[in-house]
Amino acid sequence: MSTATTWHGVNLAEPDLWPAAGADRTTSPYVPGPTDERLTGLPGESDERRLYRRMRFIRRFEETLLSLFEEGVLNGTTHACIGQEADAVAVMEHLVEEDHVFSNHRCHGHYLARTGDALGLLAEIMGKEAGVCRGIGGSQHICAPGFKSNGVQGGIVPAAAGIALAGQLDGGRRVSVVFIGDGTLGEGLLYETLNIAALWRLPLLVVCEDNRWAQSTPIGTNLAGSMPGRFEAFGIPVREVDSTDVMELREAAGAEVDAVRGGAGPRVLLIHTYRLCHHSKSDDERPAEEIASRWAVEPLLVHGRRLGDDERRIVDGEVESALAQVVATARALP
């Protein structure tokens, strides 16, 4: 931790988690500040413990956001990814700084797993100048080095393909990763992009998080045919995983990232997961018994069994303490 400093007139001595604030935020790109190891992983800790910590960080960030929304301190809406934390952590484990990630309206977990930038994201969602996009983008529209998201259904897919094309033309080994949900399988521009990506063998990995519901509509009433078949029609290989186990997902993600990075062309990682929270704050028409059954196989419970009870309690406490400092700092920002 560094010594006290100020940013936008606010004392940020505790905690030392603020993003780098360029001399002129109107022209300088946002650069996330130093991350707190209590949220992203302590030196020397086991792989199992670090993965649990990273998922716990995302879970508690999202739960905290929902509480802050009830207080009325957030700027606009918010969509949590509670139950889908393992997907984000598993994929980001294999990406390097030069890679690019595109996300959607449910982007917090992806951003936090990619950057660890809790304060920048929270300040953004609170509509504050210190946020990733100066408080203008809010919960859904994030623009940071190596990370973009927006709330337009499927709108990120052609952008991800464009970055993949740029990387291909540069002759490097960069990978462009785009996260979509099952609801995006009804969008026409997805298939236009898949066609081009397959023809040009772009270094694009599509991660489809099938959480069984497109907002309040179950997939059985709005999705015809086979999910893998929609990608395979373009000759794009699909790896299908029905799991909430972060280690199983990490292995699958690693194989797909390696294949794309090695020049195999576009590929799809289709993850059958489940959103444990409502679509957006309070709109949930799913059967209560269905949701309850999925809590029995949620990611933190599944992976947490690999740790002892005392070990989990220690990590939980460290994450809680770090996030409390993030929230206090964000509240104090102008």
Side-chain angles (χ1 to χ4, degrees):
M1 296 287 185
S2 64
T3 56
T5 187
T6 59
W7 184 33
H8 297 284
V10 176
N11 190 329
L12 298 181
E14 185 75 24
D16 188 7
L17 290 172
W18 57 91
D24 182 359
R25 284 288 307 277
T26 63
T27 57
S28 301
Y30 177 83
V31 179
T35 59
D36 190 325
E37 293 173 339
R38 294 173 297 173
L39 300 175
T40 58
L42 298 174
E45 72 179 342
S46 69
D47 212 24
E48 289 82 2
R49 182 164 168 165
R50 181 179 57 81
L51 290 171
Y52 177 81
R53 182 186 300 277
R54 297 186 70 198
M55 291 193 296
R56 181 70 179 179
F57 164 32
I58 296 170
R59 171 71 58 85
R60 288 300 297 134
F61 183 93
E62 296 289 63
E63 291 174 341
T64 301
L65 265 190
L66 295 176
S67 296
L68 292 172
F69 180 85
E70 294 300 320
E71 288 185 37
V73 298
L74 301 189
N75 186 29
T77 188
T78 188
H79 300 77
C81 67
I82 295 171
Q84 300 179 201
E85 298 88 351
D87 307 349
V89 170
V91 172
M92 302 306 169
E93 285 278 294
H94 303 284
L95 302 187
V96 298
E97 185 177 353
E98 293 75 23
D99 295 332
H100 215 105
V101 175
F102 290 81
S103 185
N104 48 29
H105 59 282
R106 204 174 303 283
C107 64
H108 307 154
H110 304 147
Y111 181 77
L112 295 174
R114 176 66 165 155
T115 69
D117 180 28
L119 181 57
L121 181 58
L122 182 56
E124 179 62 35
I125 299 172
M126 294 175 77
K128 300 201 171 190
E129 173 77 17
V132 181
C133 299
R134 302 177 66 193
I136 298 171
S139 173
Q140 302 179 42
H141 307 101
I142 302 298
C143 180
F147 190 95
K148 305 292 184 296
S149 70
N150 72 46
V152 179
Q153 189 78 299
I156 49 170
V157 183
I163 291 294
L165 174 59
Q168 184 185 73
L169 293 174
D170 286 344
R173 288 168 51 83
R174 297 200 306 270
V175 171
S176 183
V177 178
V178 58
F179 286 86
I180 64 172
D182 51 279
T184 302
L185 298 179
E187 297 297 319
L189 82 171
L190 168 66
Y191 302 104
E192 294 180 33
T193 305
L194 292 177
N195 184 59
I196 289 295
L199 283 171
W200 295 350
R201 297 183 60 79
L202 299 181
L204 176 69
L205 176 62
V206 179
V207 181
C208 182
E209 296 180 282
D210 164 33
N211 62 30
R212 274 79 170 181
W213 291 79
Q215 190 163 341
S216 58
T217 306
I219 59 173
T221 63
N222 76 339
L223 188 69
S226 158
M227 276 193 188
R230 290 178 173 236
F231 302 99
E232 292 166 346
F234 298 93
I236 299 176
V238 177
R239 181 182 293 253
E240 192 171 6
V241 186
D242 190 347
S243 177
T244 56
D245 185 341
V246 68
M247 297 192 78
E248 181 180 352
L249 291 169
R250 184 175 66 166
E251 181 180 357
E256 295 310 298
V257 170
D258 288 347
V260 173
R261 198 181 303 282
R267 300 179 73 89
V268 173
L269 177 60
L270 173 56
I271 303 174
H272 299 294
T273 182
Y274 197 80
R275 165 173 49 84
L276 292 169
C277 61
H278 29 62
H279 168 72
S280 174
K281 302 174 298 302
S282 60
D283 51 345
D284 200 347
E285 300 176 11
R286 299 172 299 172
E289 60 274 15
E290 176 183 306
I291 301 172
S293 69
R294 297 297 304 197
W295 275 103
V297 291
E298 59 96 356
L300 273 73
L301 182 63
V302 169
H303 183 67
R305 297 191 184 105
R306 296 187 172 104
L307 280 64
D309 292 343
D310 290 342
E311 199 171 8
R312 287 198 307 273
R313 279 194 288 269
I314 290 171
V315 174
D316 291 351
E318 290 170 342
V319 168
E320 206 67 24
S321 176
L323 276 179
Q325 291 181 330
V326 169
V327 172
T329 302
R331 286 182 185 274
L333 289 168

